[in-house]
């Protein structure tokens, strides 16, 4: 008996194949095999004349979707049908969430199997999990399918109904989305808050005190018995102290006078408070918390996190990565507790197994949190993973293990110090027992470093002590606007508001950036002018669709459809049809919306008009009776546009670019301009004869107002030749590149680069200093020093050195191109040459096996291509002969 098993991806197919009995054939569907038409070309001829065909949903016929097989999937479907012909049984083993259930349902509709068919689900790809799943197959869950289908139809109705309206009223090519538009509105709303924000300023004092040669810091908190003002006491709309706040506000003169009065007085400890606290471990990862922590700690985008997690799941390293649940199976808890006991000792184990419960009602995607796969957890080093996969697995391993560790016990220490009528406070923190901190600290990727940062140690103090004031600083503060969203904080906000589902956040954020609604700078999402215009239109005319509560209720309804509590068809009819339905509302609003108003972008604290034009955003100001318009550079967002920027853009439009002066040697004018990547200088004008005038970007950190003619001349002279290397006679140059200033050593075709960091300057760096930089070990992104930690000796086969190095993921042994991590429990000193040779041989054997497998696959592919080419040539030859006849 032969059984055909269908999964989504080739990687998953390869992994699951290892755990199935003989006679089981595993094939991949490559994701969805059917979907709504994505273009007019995909609409079948029989439906092209239908008025609903472009929508892909027959809204007048019970919202019947028009499913088509995309061109890219026709070959896959054909191959699956061929495989099914020789099978006695079909098992659909796609993922266990709604999307996976839908893929299985579509396969069933397309393949129309005449053999027994089962649905197999599992949340990890291990031998035990697959064997259990084989024994517990079920039918396809129609409720899950309907929930996914309803979501897909809703997204199509919103996108395909609103997007054409945006094309007509704002600009062609814009898009709206059920969750996308709400997310964009969150970004825009935050940016509006930032633009409207009024900063407030205040001054205070910070003392450096000495108790028995132990230094500690204390800050001014009261004066004459009244609380000193802090940032939270200011009204963000006025920049003044909020009404009802009875606090002391010091200006610079008052703070300086207080400094002079207190500096030489006696400082006395009034009282000390110690308060014991506990920190409990965090629950294991869900999709959302994994995306947040991977963004904060590893710098991964939500999209990259999900791609990497998908690979780890399909290769059998972690459990299913799309889940809202923080629940762990008894098997997983036992595995985590075993890891804690072996690695950290019994004292770090929680007294009882810890089980976590999911707070959100919508936790339906999978029954377990994201964790290392299996009944025993492989340590990160045991996986032999590398790069991004290693770092993400390491993060998941640490969080899972930490959730079964003991609470961290801390003591919060507050020391109140008096000097005349002023009160100062020193805050300390003592870790009495680190508990789960040993494995995992949220926001840090290095538990040891984080452990040190958690503690703020104070010297031994008691009431009545008189520490000496070594230094008293006068500090100025300004209140800051609310922070922009990062990917992590946006994901957190979406989840807290119940918008979308964690499994969709990566694609949502990716779409926002890809469609030009936001730019990512310094890990924050900054909305564009287009985002402001689209959000204003939707807020004014379709407020429900961008309201977080309305969207959250939609998500809850989809969850209820998945459980069978709500019928899908009546819900779609209510949403789209009827007098208050989306279809009619768009028709009504289309006549009301003035394109001139829709294209306008209203920004707080800006008098100039900003509009969205055919070629992008532009500013418009009145100059007498005429209007002057100037394009806004693509990299300039609403966050950057202020009255000064407007003045520069308009002046350059009227008078041409600002001229710094004439080049002292050529006599050509030097202009300062603003381009897509910021300000730059240009030598001469761009003409037919001089199509590419010499240009140079301003160094990072340099402001336009600080630019002088001499600096501009020096920038245009880059690259600077500093001289030659005394040993190699290689040319040494300094230049300013895309990633900042650098020095480079050129010898033939070989180039060796080093970045120039402050206080060195690309315009003044000397040959001697450049040689010092080039002599330093080269460090790439995430790579360790080339200097070995220890030299073990030479390899007996080729006399090449075997050394131990420090890498981004720990210490490793290196021989030629083979790297292998130091085994768990070993140290740099304990590793011997014999041990290293054995580890390297094992790693080399693994690589050879992989290469052989790849070569076989390559050979098979070439053979197939050759056969296909021969067949094609034969067909062409036959066709030519037929035409001759």
């Amino acid at each position: 008996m032969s059984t055909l098993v269908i999964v989504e991806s080739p990687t998953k197919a390869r992994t699951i194949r290892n755990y199935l009995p003989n006679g089981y054939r595993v094939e991949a569907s490559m994701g969805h095999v059917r979907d709504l038409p994505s273009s007019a070309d995909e609409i079948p001829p029989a439906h092209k004349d239908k008025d609903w065909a472009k929508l892909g949903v027959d809204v007048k016929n019970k919202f019947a979707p028009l499913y088509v097989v995309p061109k890219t999937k026709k070959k896959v479907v054909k191959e699956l049908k061929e495989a099914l012909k020789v099978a006695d049984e079909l098992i659909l083993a796609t993922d266990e969430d709604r999307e996976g259930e839908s893929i299985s349902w579509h396969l069933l509709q397309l393949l129309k199997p005449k053999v027994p068919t089962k649905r197999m689900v599992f949340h990890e790809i291990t031998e035990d999990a697959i064997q259990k799943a084989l024994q517990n197959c079920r039918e396809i869950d129609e409720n899950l399918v309907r929930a996914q289908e309803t979501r897909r139809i809703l997204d199509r109705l919103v996108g395909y109904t609103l997007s054409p309206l945006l094309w007509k009223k704002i600009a062609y090519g814009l898009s709206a989305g059920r969750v996308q538009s709400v997310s964009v509105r969150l970004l825009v709303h935050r940016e509006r808050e930032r633009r409207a924000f009024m900063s407030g300023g205040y001054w205070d004092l910070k003392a450096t005190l000495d108790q028995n040669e132990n230094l500690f810091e204390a800050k001014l908190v009261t004066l004459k018995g009244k609380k000193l003002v802090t940032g939270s006491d200011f009204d963000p709309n006025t920049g003044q102290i909020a009404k009802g706040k009875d606090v002391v506000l010091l200006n610079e003169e008052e703070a300086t006078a207080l400094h002079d009065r207190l500096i030489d007085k006696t400082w006395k400890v009034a009282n000390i408070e110690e308060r014991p606290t506990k920190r409990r471990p965090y629950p294991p990862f869900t999709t959302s918390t994994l995306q947040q922590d991977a963004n904060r700690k590893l710098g991964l985008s939500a999209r990259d996190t999900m791609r990497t997690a998908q690979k780890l799941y399909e290769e059998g390293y972690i459990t299913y990565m799309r889940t809202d649940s923080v629940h762990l199976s008894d098997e997983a808890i036992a595995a985590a507790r075993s890891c804690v006991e072996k690695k950290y000792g019994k004292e770090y184990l929680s007294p009882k197994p810890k089980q976590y419960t999911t707070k959100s009602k919508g936790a339906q995607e999978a029954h377990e949190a994201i964790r290392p796969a299996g009944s025993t957890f492989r340590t990160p080093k045991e996986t032999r993973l590398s790069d991004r996969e290693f770092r993400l697995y390491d993060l998941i391993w640490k969080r899972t293990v930490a959730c079964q560790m003991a609470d961290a016990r801390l003591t919060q220490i507050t020391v109140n110090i008096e000097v005349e009528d002023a009160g100062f406070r020193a805050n300390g923190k003592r870790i009495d027992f680190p508990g789960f901190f040993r494995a995992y600290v949220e926001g840090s990727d290095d538990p040891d470093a984080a452990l040190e940062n958690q503690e703020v140690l104070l010297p031994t103090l008691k009431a009545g002590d008189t520490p000496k004031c070594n230094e008293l600083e006068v500090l100025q503060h300004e209140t800051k606007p609310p922070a922009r969203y990062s990917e992590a904080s946006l994901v957190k906000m979406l989840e807290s508001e119940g918008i979308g589902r964690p499994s969709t956040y990566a694609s949502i954020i990716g779409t926002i950036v890809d469609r030009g609604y936001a730019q990512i700078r310094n890990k924050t999402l900054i909305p564009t002018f287009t985002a402001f215009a689209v959000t204003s239109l939707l807020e004014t005319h379709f407020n429900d669709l961008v309201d977080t509560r309305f969207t959250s209720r939609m998500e809850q309804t989809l969850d209820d459809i998945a459980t069978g509590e709500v019928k899908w068809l009546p819900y779609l009819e209510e949403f789209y049809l009827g007098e208050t339905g989306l279809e009619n509302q768009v028709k009504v609003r289309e006549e009301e919306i003035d394109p001139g108003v829709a294209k306008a972008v209203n920004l707080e604290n800006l008098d100039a008009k900003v509009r969205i034009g055919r070629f992008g955003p532009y500013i418009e100001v009145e100059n007498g009776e005429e209007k002057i318009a100037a394009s806004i550079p693509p990299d300039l967002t609403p966050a950057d546009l202020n009255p000064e920027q407007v003045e520069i853009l308009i002046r350059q439009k009227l008078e041409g670019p600002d001229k710094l002066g004439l080049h002292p040697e050529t006599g050509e004018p030097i202009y300062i301009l603003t381009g897509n990547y910021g300000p730059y200088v240009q030598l001469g004008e761009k003409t037919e004869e001089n199509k590419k005038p010499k240009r140079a970007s301003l160094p990072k950190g340099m402001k336009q107002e600080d630019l002088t003619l001499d600096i501009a001349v020096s920038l245009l002279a880059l690259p600077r030749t500093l001289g030659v290397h005394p040993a190699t006679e290689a040319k040494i140059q300094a230049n300013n590149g895309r990633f900042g200033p650098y020095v480079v050593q050129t010898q033939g075709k070989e180039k060796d680069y080093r970045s120039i960091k402050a206080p060195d300057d690309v315009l003044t760096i000397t040959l001697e200093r450049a040689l010092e930089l080039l002599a330093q070990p080269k460090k790439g992104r995430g790579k360790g020093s080339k200097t070995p930690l220890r030299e073990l000796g030479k390899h007996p086969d080729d006399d090449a050195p075997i050394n131990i190095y420090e890498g981004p993921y720990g210490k490793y042994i290196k021989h030629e191109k083979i790297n292998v991590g130091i085994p768990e429990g070993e140290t740099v000193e304990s590793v011997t040459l014999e041990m290293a040779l054995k580890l390297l041989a094992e790693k080399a054997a693994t690589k050879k096996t992989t290469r052989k497998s790849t070569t076989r696959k390559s050979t098979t592919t070439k053979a197939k291509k050759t056969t296909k080419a021969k067949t094609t040539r034969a067909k062409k030859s036959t066709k030519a002969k037929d035409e001759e006849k």
Side-chain angles (χ1 to χ4, degrees):
M1 179 177 175
S2 64
T3 300
L4 174 63
V5 180
I6 302 179
V7 296
E8 298 94 329
S9 76
T11 303
K12 186 176 177 181
R14 284 194 297 271
T15 308
I16 198 175
R17 197 175 287 130
N18 297 324
Y19 307 123
L20 292 172
N22 292 331
Y24 280 71
R25 175 180 175 181
V26 188
E27 296 293 341
S29 70
M30 310 300 289
H32 272 284
V33 290
R34 291 201 310 180
D35 198 4
L36 303 176
S38 60
S39 65
D41 293 341
E42 288 189 349
I43 300 172
H47 296 279
K48 282 188 180 290
D49 60 336
K50 305 290 195 305
D51 57 357
W52 53 266
K54 288 184 179 178
L55 191 61
V57 181
D58 188 351
V59 296
K60 302 295 170 57
N61 181 27
K62 297 183 178 180
F63 288 82
L66 175 61
Y67 288 123
V68 297
V69 179
K71 290 180 181 178
T72 56
K73 293 299 174 70
K74 290 186 182 296
K75 183 181 177 183
V76 174
V77 172
K78 183 180 178 182
E79 289 173 349
L80 291 175
K81 286 181 176 179
E82 291 296 321
L84 185 58
K85 285 180 182 179
V86 295
D88 301 310
E89 182 184 46
L90 173 64
I91 294 181
L92 301 169
T94 52
D95 290 342
E96 61 176 336
D97 60 3
R98 295 175 190 171
E99 212 66 34
E101 204 74 18
S102 178
I103 292 173
S104 283
W105 179 80
H106 280 288
L107 285 167
L108 197 63
Q109 302 302 307
L110 267 179
L111 300 179
K112 296 180 172 55
K114 296 178 182 178
V115 297
T117 302
K118 300 176 182 177
R119 173 80 170 104
M120 184 171 83
V121 293
F122 42 86
H123 72 282
E124 61 181 341
I125 306 177
T126 61
E127 186 170 6
D128 287 345
I130 299 304
Q131 293 305 318
K132 287 178 183 177
L134 276 175
Q135 302 302 318
N136 295 280
C137 290
R138 60 169 173 80
E139 298 294 319
I140 286 178
D141 189 326
E142 294 289 335
N143 287 331
L144 285 181
V145 174
R146 292 287 82 79
Q148 188 279 337
E149 190 171 58
T150 305
R151 181 192 296 275
R152 185 73 187 92
I153 291 172
L154 273 175
D155 290 342
R156 175 57 65 97
L157 295 177
V158 172
Y160 275 46
T161 305
L162 284 179
S163 296
L165 181 68
L166 299 180
W167 303 348
K168 294 175 184 176
K169 303 301 181 181
I170 300 178
Y172 183 77
L174 296 179
S175 69
R178 186 178 61 86
V179 180
Q180 167 196 311
S181 297
V182 181
S183 304
V184 172
R185 187 196 185 194
L186 287 171
L187 302 183
V188 170
H189 182 70
R190 179 60 55 86
E191 203 61 42
R192 286 173 181 162
E193 289 180 328
R194 288 176 61 85
R195 291 191 65 91
F197 180 82
M198 298 294 290
S199 178
Y202 61 100
W203 295 75
D204 66 10
L205 303 179
K206 182 179 77 172
T208 301
L209 304 175
D210 183 345
Q211 176 71 14
N212 298 328
E213 298 187 356
N214 292 307
L215 301 181
F216 65 103
E217 291 182 351
K219 291 183 179 179
L220 179 67
V221 291
T222 61
L223 188 63
K224 296 180 181 178
K226 286 181 68 175
K227 178 179 172 286
L228 199 72
V229 71
T230 62
S232 61
D233 295 319
F234 286 84
D235 185 337
N237 298 315
T238 64
Q240 304 298 313
I241 295 176
K243 290 182 180 179
K245 297 281 187 178
D246 186 19
V247 291
V248 177
L249 175 65
L250 297 178
N251 58 31
E252 183 179 12
E253 185 179 342
E254 292 167 335
T256 303
L258 183 62
H259 166 276
D260 295 341
R261 179 162 66 88
L262 300 179
I263 186 68
D264 293 326
K265 298 299 186 293
T266 300
W267 296 63
K268 185 177 181 181
V269 175
N271 59 70
I272 301 170
E273 297 175 13
E274 291 197 2
R275 183 170 56 89
T277 62
K278 285 184 178 181
R279 287 276 302 278
R280 291 182 171 83
Y282 303 98
F285 279 131
T286 61
T287 303
S288 167
T289 54
L290 178 63
Q291 290 174 5
Q292 293 172 50
D293 231 28
N295 183 251
R296 284 195 296 260
K297 298 173 97 172
L298 308 181
L300 295 181
S301 67
R303 184 182 283 178
D304 286 340
T305 298
M306 292 310 292
R307 284 174 181 163
T308 308
Q310 178 88 34
K311 187 175 180 183
L312 289 173
Y313 163 67
E314 291 179 347
E315 292 181 348
Y317 289 105
I318 65 170
T319 54
Y320 192 54
M321 67 290 157
R322 293 188 180 91
T323 174
D324 295 332
S325 175
V326 293
H327 174 77
L328 286 177
S329 65
D330 292 342
E331 177 185 78
I333 291 175
R337 293 178 70 81
S338 174
C339 286
V340 174
E341 194 168 344
K342 287 178 182 177
K343 188 170 179 64
Y344 304 106
K346 282 188 178 181
E347 68 272 24
Y348 283 93
L349 197 59
S350 63
K352 294 181 180 179
K354 293 189 176 185
Q355 187 57 271
Y356 298 85
T357 55
T358 306
K359 294 180 181 178
S360 73
K361 185 184 176 185
Q364 84 294 327
E365 298 293 9
H367 64 270
E368 200 169 0
I370 302 170
R371 62 167 176 84
S375 56
T376 57
F377 295 167
R378 284 173 284 185
T379 64
K381 287 185 178 180
E382 287 173 342
T383 64
R384 302 289 179 91
L385 290 166
S386 61
D387 300 328
R388 189 177 288 171
E389 287 81 15
F390 176 92
R391 290 185 289 151
L392 194 64
Y393 180 85
D394 183 61
L395 195 65
I396 294 167
W397 187 90
K398 285 175 179 173
R399 177 102 165 200
T400 309
V401 169
C403 83
Q404 293 302 314
M405 294 178 73
D407 297 345
R409 298 194 300 271
L410 305 89
T411 299
Q412 304 283 355
I413 305 166
T414 303
V415 179
N416 292 306
I417 302 163
E418 295 176 352
V419 49
E420 293 205 331
D421 57 356
F424 284 73
R425 180 170 295 158
N427 293 310
K429 183 191 295 182
R430 183 177 68 243
I431 296 179
D432 302 312
F433 177 68
F436 75 95
F437 285 166
R438 280 291 177 210
Y440 179 89
V441 178
E442 192 171 56
S444 172
D445 201 25
D446 184 350
D448 291 330
L451 191 61
E452 294 171 5
N453 293 336
Q454 289 282 331
E455 284 198 303
V456 181
L457 298 178
L458 296 175
T460 302
L461 294 164
K462 62 181 185 297
D465 282 346
T466 55
K468 179 185 176 185
C469 181
N470 280 7
E471 187 180 2
L472 188 59
E473 295 179 76
V474 179
L475 302 177
Q476 181 184 14
H477 304 277
E478 278 196 359
T479 56
K480 295 181 180 179
R484 293 190 178 97
Y485 286 105
S486 64
E487 288 198 39
S489 59
L490 181 60
V491 165
K492 188 174 183 179
M493 172 60 78
L494 291 172
E495 185 180 41
S496 66
E497 293 290 334
I499 300 168
R501 279 291 168 259
S503 57
T504 65
Y505 293 156
S507 61
I508 291 167
I509 295 173
T511 300
I512 289 171
V513 175
D514 294 343
R515 298 282 171 83
Y517 288 119
Q519 294 181 8
I520 298 181
R521 290 191 205 159
N522 298 322
K523 295 186 179 181
T524 61
L525 292 157
I526 305 176
T528 61
F529 292 100
T530 303
F532 270 72
V534 169
T535 296
S536 294
L537 184 149
L538 295 178
E539 283 177 328
T540 305
H541 301 284
F542 305 96
N543 189 57
D544 273 355
L545 291 179
V546 287
D547 179 73
T548 53
R549 289 168 296 181
F550 179 81
T551 307
S552 178
R553 288 196 297 271
M554 290 179 77
E555 294 295 347
Q556 186 58 57
T557 302
L558 290 170
D559 291 343
D560 293 340
I561 292 170
T563 58
E565 298 173 48
V566 171
K567 299 297 182 184
W568 66 278
L569 185 56
Y571 177 69
L572 286 176
E573 290 173 339
E574 181 185 356
F575 173 79
Y576 195 71
L577 301 176
E579 188 176 341
T580 59
L582 179 62
E583 182 183 42
N584 189 56
Q585 289 301 310
V586 170
K587 290 177 182 177
V588 172
R589 299 286 192 273
E590 187 171 345
E591 298 177 4
E592 299 176 356
I593 299 172
D594 180 356
V597 175
K599 292 175 188 287
V601 178
N602 298 314
L603 298 175
E604 292 82 358
N605 307 322
L606 194 72
D607 294 331
K609 294 178 181 177
V610 179
R611 301 186 185 280
I612 305 297
R614 184 178 177 186
F615 303 106
Y618 64 93
I619 51 175
E620 186 179 80
V621 297
E622 294 184 359
N623 185 25
E625 296 184 357
E626 66 173 334
K627 293 181 179 179
I628 307 296
S631 295
I632 298 174
D635 68 319
L636 197 65
T637 65
D640 310 310
L641 192 62
N642 53 37
E644 292 75 20
Q645 284 280 0
V646 170
E647 184 183 344
I648 291 170
L649 291 170
I650 294 299
R651 187 175 70 249
Q652 290 184 353
K653 176 74 175 181
L654 291 172
E655 304 171 5
D658 293 339
K659 188 165 73 172
L660 283 170
L662 302 179
H663 195 284
E665 295 176 10
T666 66
E668 294 175 280
I670 296 177
Y671 300 106
I672 174 70
L673 302 99
T674 302
N676 292 353
Y677 304 103
Y680 64 93
V681 290
Q682 176 177 299
L683 180 62
E685 295 183 15
K686 185 177 180 181
T687 62
E688 280 297 318
E689 294 76 25
N690 186 24
K691 293 182 178 180
K692 291 185 178 181
K694 174 78 173 177
R695 291 173 175 174
S697 297
L698 268 62
K700 285 184 178 180
M702 178 179 283
K703 296 180 180 179
Q704 237 173 286
E705 54 266 30
D706 297 332
L707 184 67
T708 64
L709 179 61
D710 289 341
I711 294 174
V713 170
S714 298
L715 289 171
L716 289 165
L718 293 175
R720 290 174 56 221
T721 298
L722 306 179
V724 296
H725 197 289
T728 63
E729 296 189 355
K731 183 168 66 173
I732 311 294
Q733 290 182 308
N735 203 356
N736 194 30
R738 182 181 175 188
F739 302 107
Y742 63 89
V743 290
V744 57
Q745 177 179 204
T746 306
Q747 191 169 23
K749 293 183 179 180
E750 303 241 343
K751 293 191 176 185
D752 189 19
Y753 296 88
R754 296 292 185 280
S755 294
I756 297 175
K757 305 289 185 185
D760 291 321
D761 188 329
V762 67
L763 301 179
T764 58
I765 192 168
T766 63
L767 174 62
E768 289 72 25
R769 178 57 181 153
L771 291 172
E772 287 177 14
L773 293 177
L774 289 164
Q776 295 174 4
K778 190 172 184 179
K779 291 185 179 181
R781 291 184 64 186
K783 294 182 179 178
S785 169
K786 287 187 177 180
T787 305
L789 299 175
R790 183 179 165 212
E791 296 178 0
L792 295 174
K794 294 185 177 181
H795 199 289
D797 293 344
D798 55 14
D799 282 340
I802 299 176
N803 298 330
I804 299 179
Y805 293 90
E806 177 76 54
Y809 314 118
K811 300 171 179 65
Y812 65 95
I813 304 163
K814 180 178 179 65
H815 166 249
E816 295 289 10
K817 294 183 179 180
I818 299 177
N819 298 339
V820 60
I822 292 180
E824 193 81 24
E826 299 291 346
T827 64
V828 174
E829 292 73 25
S830 69
V831 174
T832 63
L833 179 59
E834 291 72 23
M835 186 188 300
L837 289 169
K838 183 179 177 183
L839 291 168
L840 290 165
E842 290 173 356
K843 185 66 176 285
T846 306
K847 286 197 167 189
K848 284 177 183 176
T849 304
T850 307
R851 279 198 296 271
K852 283 179 182 178
S853 175
T854 307
T855 305
R856 278 198 298 270
K857 184 177 179 182
S858 175
T859 305
T860 305
T861 306
K862 287 179 182 178
K864 285 182 178 179
K865 287 182 178 179
T866 305
T867 304
K868 187 175 179 181
K870 287 179 180 178
T871 306
T872 306
R873 285 197 296 270
K875 286 181 178 178
K876 286 182 179 179
S877 175
T878 304
K879 185 178 179 182
K881 288 177 181 177
D882 288 342
E883 288 174 353
E884 286 175 5
K885 292 176 182 177

